[in-house]
Amino acid sequence: MWVIAKRELFIFFSSGIGYLTSGIYLTVSTLFLWFFDTDFNILNAGFADLNSFFVLTPWLLIFLIPALCMRSFSEERRTGTLELLLTKPISLWKIILGKYLGCMLLVMIAFLPTLVYFFAVNDLKLNNTPLDWGSAFSGYLGIILVSSVFVAIGILSSLLTKNQVTAFMLSLLICFIQFFLWKGIADLMVDAKTNYFFNQLGFFEHYLSLCQGVISIKDLTYFIAFNYVLLYLSHQMLFKIKNKGW
């Protein structure tokens, strides 16, 4: 599993995909948070927090993570190297988890430079203004959990097709639906129970709770269970490819 994860990282950075996607993410987030005169600009917010960062990041991840994951299995299926990998004495779960872990490590590497934002806000705030490190920690936890599910979606999408562009578009569509569409449908519902039901289906409400500093078992269980279901479906898909050459 670790060998596959290291191999994924090597491919990402040797081909430049890792540098390119991470660079684009950091450039766009920095421009929107510090330079562009938009609602996301931290300097215009007037508060010593990074709520704008946590609001903006899911929008960027919807494009970033599918771009990172689109080649994980699609390229190997197209070139025929997946069949060679499947002949090795390694379980299907280890292949899936190795790919998953490799993509997650790359996402975490892309997040590391954003820690500079916290120190920048801390230096710019007034002396008597406290910085809420607790909500910052839970917000980062929320980003990591959302990223983990997006990666699982990207892995599954990459298994469904040999075309990287198709895998990217499919993953992007599913990520958008799961994060924003259910929230939009819930807002249209008048009945409180129906509104609650649709909100609980999507990521938005669970992520919002974490960004507000509330770490609950319900939200953690939701993301862990969603990850497991997606990875299980990926395992079943890989099993089908191995036995039927689909």
Side-chain angles (χ1 to χ4, degrees), residues 178-196:
Q178 197 57 38
F179 196 94
F180 292 108
L181 186 61
W182 294 122
K183 171 63 177 174
I185 294 175
D187 290 341
L188 297 176
M189 299 295 110
V190 178
D191 181 66
K193 291 184 179 179
T194 309
N195 178 281
Y196 177 81

Side-chain angles (χ1 to χ4, degrees), residues 59-67 150 153-154 157 165-180:
W59 285 100
L60 301 181
L61 293 179
I62 282 179
F63 295 93
L64 170 71
I65 293 179
F150 281 179
I153 291 172
S157 300
V165 177
T166 304
F168 170 78
M169 297 301 295
L170 179 61
S171 178
L172 187 151
L173 178 63
I174 298 173
C175 289
F176 178 82
I177 289 173
Q178 197 57 38
F179 196 94
F180 292 108

Side-chain angles (χ1 to χ4, degrees), residues 51 54-55 135-136 138-139 142-143 206-214:
N51 285 336
F54 294 126
V55 172
S135 64
S138 62
I143 288 177
H206 301 280
Y207 173 68
L208 182 63
S209 296
L210 290 166
C211 288
Q212 292 173 342
V214 180

Side-chain angles (χ1 to χ4, degrees), residues 77 82-83 86 92 159-160 232-246:
R77 291 187 64 192
L82 180 59
E83 286 75 10
L86 291 174
L92 298 183
L159 274 166
L160 292 172
Y232 176 79
L233 291 175
S234 296
H235 177 272
Q236 294 300 105
M237 190 67 212
L238 190 58
F239 178 81
K240 184 177 180 181
I241 293 171
K242 180 180 181 180
N243 289 278
K244 298 183 178 180
W246 185 77

